[in-house]
mmCIF file with all atom_site columns, all heavy atoms in Angstrom:
data_model
loop_
_atom_site.group_PDB
_atom_site.id
_atom_site.type_symbol
_atom_site.label_atom_id
_atom_site.label_alt_id
_atom_site.label_comp_id
_atom_site.label_asym_id
_atom_site.label_entity_id
_atom_site.label_seq_id
_atom_site.pdbx_PDB_ins_code
_atom_site.Cartn_x
_atom_site.Cartn_y
_atom_site.Cartn_z
_atom_site.occupancy
_atom_site.B_iso_or_equiv
_atom_site.pdbx_formal_charge
_atom_site.auth_seq_id
_atom_site.auth_comp_id
_atom_site.auth_asym_id
_atom_site.auth_atom_id
_atom_site.pdbx_PDB_model_num
ATOM 1  N N   . PHE A 1 99  ? 35.669 33.588 -0.358 1.00 98.00 ? 99  PHE A N   1
ATOM 2  C CA  . PHE A 1 99  ? 34.759 33.662 -1.508 1.00 98.00 ? 99  PHE A CA  1
ATOM 3  C C   . PHE A 1 99  ? 33.463 34.370 -1.148 1.00 98.00 ? 99  PHE A C   1
ATOM 4  O O   . PHE A 1 99  ? 32.985 35.232 -1.872 1.00 98.00 ? 99  PHE A O   1
ATOM 5  C CB  . PHE A 1 99  ? 34.438 32.253 -2.018 1.00 98.00 ? 99  PHE A CB  1
ATOM 6  C CG  . PHE A 1 99  ? 33.583 32.270 -3.258 1.00 98.00 ? 99  PHE A CG  1
ATOM 7  C CD1 . PHE A 1 99  ? 34.165 32.293 -4.512 1.00 98.00 ? 99  PHE A CD1 1
ATOM 8  C CD2 . PHE A 1 99  ? 32.191 32.287 -3.170 1.00 98.00 ? 99  PHE A CD2 1
ATOM 9  C CE1 . PHE A 1 99  ? 33.369 32.333 -5.663 1.00 98.00 ? 99  PHE A CE1 1
ATOM 10 C CE2 . PHE A 1 99  ? 31.400 32.329 -4.300 1.00 98.00 ? 99  PHE A CE2 1
ATOM 11 C CZ  . PHE A 1 99  ? 31.988 32.356 -5.548 1.00 98.00 ? 99  PHE A CZ  1
ATOM 12 N N   . ALA A 1 100 ? 32.919 34.024 0.000  1.00 98.00 ? 100 ALA A N   1
ATOM 13 C CA  . ALA A 1 100 ? 31.666 34.641 0.437  1.00 98.00 ? 100 ALA A CA  1
ATOM 14 C C   . ALA A 1 100 ? 31.837 36.144 0.630  1.00 98.00 ? 100 ALA A C   1
ATOM 15 O O   . ALA A 1 100 ? 30.966 36.939 0.256  1.00 98.00 ? 100 ALA A O   1
ATOM 16 C CB  . ALA A 1 100 ? 31.171 33.990 1.726  1.00 98.00 ? 100 ALA A CB  1
ATOM 17 N N   . ALA A 1 101 ? 32.971 36.530 1.195  1.00 97.00 ? 101 ALA A N   1
ATOM 18 C CA  . ALA A 1 101 ? 33.212 37.961 1.425  1.00 97.00 ? 101 ALA A CA  1
ATOM 19 C C   . ALA A 1 101 ? 33.448 38.696 0.116  1.00 97.00 ? 101 ALA A C   1
ATOM 20 O O   . ALA A 1 101 ? 32.964 39.820 -0.085 1.00 97.00 ? 101 ALA A O   1
ATOM 21 C CB  . ALA A 1 101 ? 34.407 38.151 2.355  1.00 97.00 ? 101 ALA A CB  1
ATOM 22 N N   . GLY A 1 102 ? 34.191 38.057 -0.792 1.00 97.00 ? 102 GLY A N   1
ATOM 23 C CA  . GLY A 1 102 ? 34.533 38.720 -2.040 1.00 97.00 ? 102 GLY A CA  1
ATOM 24 C C   . GLY A 1 102 ? 33.435 38.668 -3.087 1.00 97.00 ? 102 GLY A C   1
ATOM 25 O O   . GLY A 1 102 ? 33.467 39.427 -4.065 1.00 97.00 ? 102 GLY A O   1
ATOM 26 N N   . ASN A 1 103 ? 32.474 37.817 -2.879 1.00 98.00 ? 103 ASN A N   1
ATOM 27 C CA  . ASN A 1 103 ? 31.340 37.688 -3.825 1.00 98.00 ? 103 ASN A CA  1
ATOM 28 C C   . ASN A 1 103 ? 30.040 37.674 -3.025 1.00 98.00 ? 103 ASN A C   1
ATOM 29 O O   . ASN A 1 103 ? 29.191 36.797 -3.215 1.00 98.00 ? 103 ASN A O   1
ATOM 30 C CB  . ASN A 1 103 ? 31.449 36.410 -4.644 1.00 98.00 ? 103 ASN A CB  1
ATOM 31 C CG  . ASN A 1 103 ? 32.769 36.270 -5.345 1.00 98.00 ? 103 ASN A CG  1
ATOM 32 O OD1 . ASN A 1 103 ? 32.920 36.689 -6.487 1.00 98.00 ? 103 ASN A OD1 1
ATOM 33 N ND2 . ASN A 1 103 ? 33.753 35.695 -4.678 1.00 98.00 ? 103 ASN A ND2 1
ATOM 34 N N   . HIS A 1 104 ? 29.912 38.677 -2.139 1.00 96.00 ? 104 HIS A N   1
ATOM 35 C CA  . HIS A 1 104 ? 28.899 38.586 -1.121 1.00 96.00 ? 104 HIS A CA  1
ATOM 36 C C   . HIS A 1 104 ? 27.478 38.398 -1.676 1.00 96.00 ? 104 HIS A C   1
ATOM 37 O O   . HIS A 1 104 ? 26.764 37.473 -1.319 1.00 96.00 ? 104 HIS A O   1
ATOM 38 C CB  . HIS A 1 104 ? 28.953 39.824 -0.212 1.00 96.00 ? 104 HIS A CB  1
ATOM 39 C CG  . HIS A 1 104 ? 28.181 39.674 1.061  1.00 96.00 ? 104 HIS A CG  1
ATOM 40 N ND1 . HIS A 1 104 ? 28.094 40.627 2.036  1.00 96.00 ? 104 HIS A ND1 1
ATOM 41 C CD2 . HIS A 1 104 ? 27.430 38.628 1.513  1.00 96.00 ? 104 HIS A CD2 1
ATOM 42 C CE1 . HIS A 1 104 ? 27.356 40.217 3.018  1.00 96.00 ? 104 HIS A CE1 1
ATOM 43 N NE2 . HIS A 1 104 ? 26.926 39.005 2.745  1.00 96.00 ? 104 HIS A NE2 1
ATOM 44 N N   . LEU A 1 105 ? 27.123 39.267 -2.600 1.00 97.00 ? 105 LEU A N   1
ATOM 45 C CA  . LEU A 1 105 ? 25.745 39.232 -3.104 1.00 97.00 ? 105 LEU A CA  1
ATOM 46 C C   . LEU A 1 105 ? 25.493 37.980 -3.938 1.00 97.00 ? 105 LEU A C   1
ATOM 47 O O   . LEU A 1 105 ? 24.415 37.379 -3.867 1.00 97.00 ? 105 LEU A O   1
ATOM 48 C CB  . LEU A 1 105 ? 25.438 40.494 -3.894 1.00 97.00 ? 105 LEU A CB  1
ATOM 49 C CG  . LEU A 1 105 ? 25.442 41.769 -3.045 1.00 97.00 ? 105 LEU A CG  1
ATOM 50 C CD1 . LEU A 1 105 ? 25.276 43.023 -3.915 1.00 97.00 ? 105 LEU A CD1 1
ATOM 51 C CD2 . LEU A 1 105 ? 24.325 41.716 -1.999 1.00 97.00 ? 105 LEU A CD2 1
ATOM 52 N N   . SER A 1 106 ? 26.482 37.567 -4.717 1.00 98.00 ? 106 SER A N   1
ATOM 53 C CA  . SER A 1 106 ? 26.335 36.338 -5.503 1.00 98.00 ? 106 SER A CA  1
ATOM 54 C C   . SER A 1 106 ? 26.227 35.139 -4.559 1.00 98.00 ? 106 SER A C   1
ATOM 55 O O   . SER A 1 106 ? 25.430 34.219 -4.805 1.00 98.00 ? 106 SER A O   1
ATOM 56 C CB  . SER A 1 106 ? 27.540 36.148 -6.436 1.00 98.00 ? 106 SER A CB  1
ATOM 57 O OG  . SER A 1 106 ? 27.677 37.276 -7.287 1.00 98.00 ? 106 SER A OG  1
ATOM 58 N N   . TRP A 1 107 ? 27.017 35.173 -3.517 1.00 98.00 ? 107 TRP A N   1
ATOM 59 C CA  . TRP A 1 107 ? 27.006 34.066 -2.561 1.00 98.00 ? 107 TRP A CA  1
ATOM 60 C C   . TRP A 1 107 ? 25.668 34.018 -1.817 1.00 98.00 ? 107 TRP A C   1
ATOM 61 O O   . TRP A 1 107 ? 25.073 32.954 -1.647 1.00 98.00 ? 107 TRP A O   1
ATOM 62 C CB  . TRP A 1 107 ? 28.167 34.238 -1.575 1.00 98.00 ? 107 TRP A CB  1
ATOM 63 C CG  . TRP A 1 107 ? 28.241 33.208 -0.498 1.00 98.00 ? 107 TRP A CG  1
ATOM 64 C CD1 . TRP A 1 107 ? 28.615 31.902 -0.629 1.00 98.00 ? 107 TRP A CD1 1
ATOM 65 C CD2 . TRP A 1 107 ? 27.910 33.385 0.889  1.00 98.00 ? 107 TRP A CD2 1
ATOM 66 N NE1 . TRP A 1 107 ? 28.562 31.272 0.581  1.00 98.00 ? 107 TRP A NE1 1
ATOM 67 C CE2 . TRP A 1 107 ? 28.124 32.158 1.533  1.00 98.00 ? 107 TRP A CE2 1
ATOM 68 C CE3 . TRP A 1 107 ? 27.477 34.479 1.639  1.00 98.00 ? 107 TRP A CE3 1
ATOM 69 C CZ2 . TRP A 1 107 ? 27.899 31.979 2.891  1.00 98.00 ? 107 TRP A CZ2 1
ATOM 70 C CZ3 . TRP A 1 107 ? 27.259 34.305 2.989  1.00 98.00 ? 107 TRP A CZ3 1
ATOM 71 C CH2 . TRP A 1 107 ? 27.476 33.071 3.609  1.00 98.00 ? 107 TRP A CH2 1
ATOM 72 N N   . ARG A 1 108 ? 25.158 35.191 -1.428 1.00 97.00 ? 108 ARG A N   1
ATOM 73 C CA  . ARG A 1 108 ? 23.853 35.254 -0.783 1.00 97.00 ? 108 ARG A CA  1
ATOM 74 C C   . ARG A 1 108 ? 22.768 34.668 -1.688 1.00 97.00 ? 108 ARG A C   1
ATOM 75 O O   . ARG A 1 108 ? 21.860 33.969 -1.247 1.00 97.00 ? 108 ARG A O   1
ATOM 76 C CB  . ARG A 1 108 ? 23.475 36.691 -0.426 1.00 97.00 ? 108 ARG A CB  1
ATOM 77 C CG  . ARG A 1 108 ? 24.222 37.274 0.761  1.00 97.00 ? 108 ARG A CG  1
ATOM 78 C CD  . ARG A 1 108 ? 23.914 36.515 2.025  1.00 97.00 ? 108 ARG A CD  1
ATOM 79 N NE  . ARG A 1 108 ? 22.496 36.404 2.270  1.00 97.00 ? 108 ARG A NE  1
ATOM 80 C CZ  . ARG A 1 108 ? 21.904 36.694 3.404  1.00 97.00 ? 108 ARG A CZ  1
ATOM 81 N NH1 . ARG A 1 108 ? 22.639 37.145 4.413  1.00 97.00 ? 108 ARG A NH1 1
ATOM 82 N NH2 . ARG A 1 108 ? 20.625 36.538 3.567  1.00 97.00 ? 108 ARG A NH2 1
ATOM 83 N N   . ALA A 1 109 ? 22.873 34.980 -2.973 1.00 97.00 ? 109 ALA A N   1
ATOM 84 C CA  . ALA A 1 109 ? 21.865 34.512 -3.919 1.00 97.00 ? 109 ALA A CA  1
ATOM 85 C C   . ALA A 1 109 ? 21.782 32.997 -3.936 1.00 97.00 ? 109 ALA A C   1
ATOM 86 O O   . ALA A 1 109 ? 20.718 32.423 -4.229 1.00 97.00 ? 109 ALA A O   1
ATOM 87 C CB  . ALA A 1 109 ? 22.156 35.051 -5.322 1.00 97.00 ? 109 ALA A CB  1
ATOM 88 N N   . LEU A 1 110 ? 22.886 32.334 -3.618 1.00 97.00 ? 110 LEU A N   1
ATOM 89 C CA  . LEU A 1 110 ? 22.894 30.858 -3.577 1.00 97.00 ? 110 LEU A CA  1
ATOM 90 C C   . LEU A 1 110 ? 21.832 30.343 -2.608 1.00 97.00 ? 110 LEU A C   1
ATOM 91 O O   . LEU A 1 110 ? 21.259 29.274 -2.822 1.00 97.00 ? 110 LEU A O   1
ATOM 92 C CB  . LEU A 1 110 ? 24.266 30.339 -3.131 1.00 97.00 ? 110 LEU A CB  1
ATOM 93 C CG  . LEU A 1 110 ? 25.435 30.431 -4.112 1.00 97.00 ? 110 LEU A CG  1
ATOM 94 C CD1 . LEU A 1 110 ? 26.693 29.908 -3.469 1.00 97.00 ? 110 LEU A CD1 1
ATOM 95 C CD2 . LEU A 1 110 ? 25.126 29.644 -5.375 1.00 97.00 ? 110 LEU A CD2 1
#
Side-chain angles (χ1 to χ4, degrees):
Chain A
F99 184 90
N103 307 268
H104 194 179
L105 294 174
S106 303
W107 177 73
R108 286 297 307 230
L110 287 178

